[in-house]
Amino acid sequence: MEALVGKDLLSLADLSAPELQGVLSLATQMKAGTASPVSKKVLGLLFTKASTRTRVSFSVAMYQLGGQVIDLNPNVTQVGRGEPLEDTARVLDRYLDAIAIRTYDQQDLVTFAHYAQMPVINALTDLAHPCQVLADLQTIQENFKQFSGLTLTYFGDGNNMAHSLLLGCALMGVNVRIAAPQDYQPLSNVVQKAQQIAGDRSEITITTDAKAAAEGTHILYTDVWASMGQEDSAESRIPLFEPYQVNAELLALANQDAIVLHCLPAHRGEEIAHDVMEGQQSRIWDQAENRLHAQKALLACLLGAN
Ligand code: CP
Ligand code: NVA
């Protein structure tokens, strides 16, 4: 994957379909125990939002690859005191080999990437969560062995997860349906970008009808109804989002071999029913594990380990 050395991953739209498939194939090898060393390379983690999976999986991935992580928590760096991102980016670029950033505004990543030569990885913004979708696609490929002919339905808020799933599925030729309340549908420019990527290889459907969207689908996917930074509207969203809960009723409408995915953390009893989360069709824990393998593969590609 020489083509990816030194690149940024701000969005899945930064990858071509063969590049994404290359990362996923390497992720499968990583899971099987193949790890190309990136010794002496250092990844910075600059997170202004909470994280369990992303923080720990990136840290373990770098350790297992032979590199290191440095935590750039804004509370202990000058970032928290308002040092301009342009200045921080130029300085950190002189020390680090790559940086993973979790923040609110996608534009902050674009600014950082403009001022830093090293790879900048989107570890979640309000707009996108590409690293999660690498693991999601790996999990889908593990289960179904191929992407073609599959349909993924995302139920709930048209948020960062919906956006990255649209792009990732379009790249891999998976049909995507987004079932979301009228005022919470994904951004139209992201939908258009996904349609452009999909061409005539896969179909993209945006609807308010959760039941119709569940019919015959192979992957049921959901995420919290209020994302980080939207906590104030969490209570008022509940009645609007109730028809979109992934529960036994929706699952019964899906393909009989359908699997259930959730990026986590989950609010059981809101976007997903407890019995579905713990049920036979759930692949949620494999999906969480795959964060490690997929990001290890991504790091190996961006840092030029293989
Ligand atoms: N799915 C995900 O990104 O989890 P964290 O917020 O715990 O990193
Ligand atoms: N949409 C969620 C995803 C968390 C991994 C959020 O942004 O909070």
Side-chain angles (χ1 to χ4, degrees):
M1 293 302 291
E2 263 171 46
L4 289 183
V5 177
K7 273 196 161 184
D8 299 321
L9 183 77
L10 307 190
S11 159
L12 285 174
D14 294 339
L15 299 179
S16 66
E19 285 168 348
L20 176 53
Q21 187 51 68
V23 175
L24 296 177
S25 302
L26 187 56
T28 305
Q29 292 169 38
M30 292 291 183
K31 194 164 187 174
T34 316
S36 315
V38 294
S39 59
K40 299 198 178 155
K41 303 247 169 151
V42 182
L43 172 74
L45 297 181
L46 177 50
F47 283 25
T48 65
K49 288 174 172 174
S51 168
T52 298
R53 279 144 288 268
T54 310
R55 176 182 293 281
V56 177
S57 55
F58 266 122
S59 303
V60 174
M62 277 306 279
Y63 175 76
Q64 291 182 351
L65 285 168
Q68 279 195 13
V69 162
I70 182 160
D71 189 356
L72 303 165
N73 185 333
N75 297 332
V76 296
T77 59
Q78 300 288 9
V79 173
R81 292 182 59 245
E83 182 169 8
L85 219 45
E86 296 85 331
D87 299 358
T88 305
R90 280 175 285 186
V91 173
L92 291 179
D93 198 34
R94 308 267 176 132
Y95 307 143
L96 299 170
D97 298 291
I99 189 162
I101 302 179
R102 169 169 287 204
T103 193
Y104 296 85
D105 191 348
Q106 180 83 6
Q107 190 54 43
D108 285 347
L109 258 71
V110 175
T111 302
F112 201 104
H114 178 77
Y115 284 94
Q117 302 301 309
M118 65 180 160
V120 177
I121 303 170
N122 183 344
L124 182 147
T125 61
D126 291 347
L127 183 73
H129 196 5
C131 293
Q132 176 66 53
V133 172
L134 294 181
D136 301 343
L137 290 169
Q138 185 182 2
T139 312
I140 292 167
Q141 199 167 35
E142 262 171 17
N143 274 271
F144 295 101
K145 310 300 173 211
Q146 57 174 32
F147 289 119
S148 108
L150 295 179
T151 298
L152 177 145
T153 304
Y154 173 92
F155 301 90
D157 188 21
N159 61 12
N160 44 11
M161 280 315 315
H163 293 153
S164 290
L165 286 165
L166 277 164
L167 296 173
C169 289
L171 276 162
M172 291 294 94
V174 173
N175 302 309
V176 201
R177 301 175 188 159
I178 306 283
Q182 192 65 56
D183 293 338
Y184 295 89
Q185 302 212 330
L187 293 173
S188 55
N189 63 325
V190 179
V191 176
Q192 276 163 20
K193 180 74 189 172
Q195 277 164 337
Q196 192 190 327
I197 292 169
D200 52 14
R201 290 178 310 131
S202 65
E203 259 179 46
I204 290 169
T205 310
I206 312 294
T207 178
T208 55
D209 189 340
K211 286 188 177 151
E215 286 284 350
T217 197
H218 302 92
I219 303 124
L220 298 94
Y221 199 115
T222 190
D223 181 21
V224 290
W225 291 340
S227 288
M228 288 180 274
Q230 300 173 333
E231 289 81 3
D232 288 353
S233 65
E235 279 298 307
S236 62
R237 287 175 181 232
I238 291 175
L240 272 174
F241 280 85
E242 265 167 358
Y244 301 89
Q245 183 190 68
V246 173
N247 53 29
E249 197 188 343
L250 275 194
L251 192 51
L253 298 170
N255 186 283
Q256 61 171 10
D257 298 323
I259 62 169
V260 176
L261 300 181
H262 190 309
C263 57
L264 303 175
H267 291 170
R268 285 175 172 80
E270 290 189 14
E271 75 276 2
I272 189 162
H274 176 82
D275 57 336
V276 170
M277 190 156 171
E278 300 294 344
Q280 295 249 314
Q281 287 164 277
S282 166
R283 296 291 179 276
I284 291 170
W285 314 114
D286 291 339
Q287 179 189 7
E289 177 188 335
N290 285 338
R291 294 295 304 275
L292 170 63
H293 310 300
Q295 283 159 205
K296 216 197 277 185
L298 176 71
L299 289 165
C301 290
L302 300 183
L303 293 169
N306 60 307

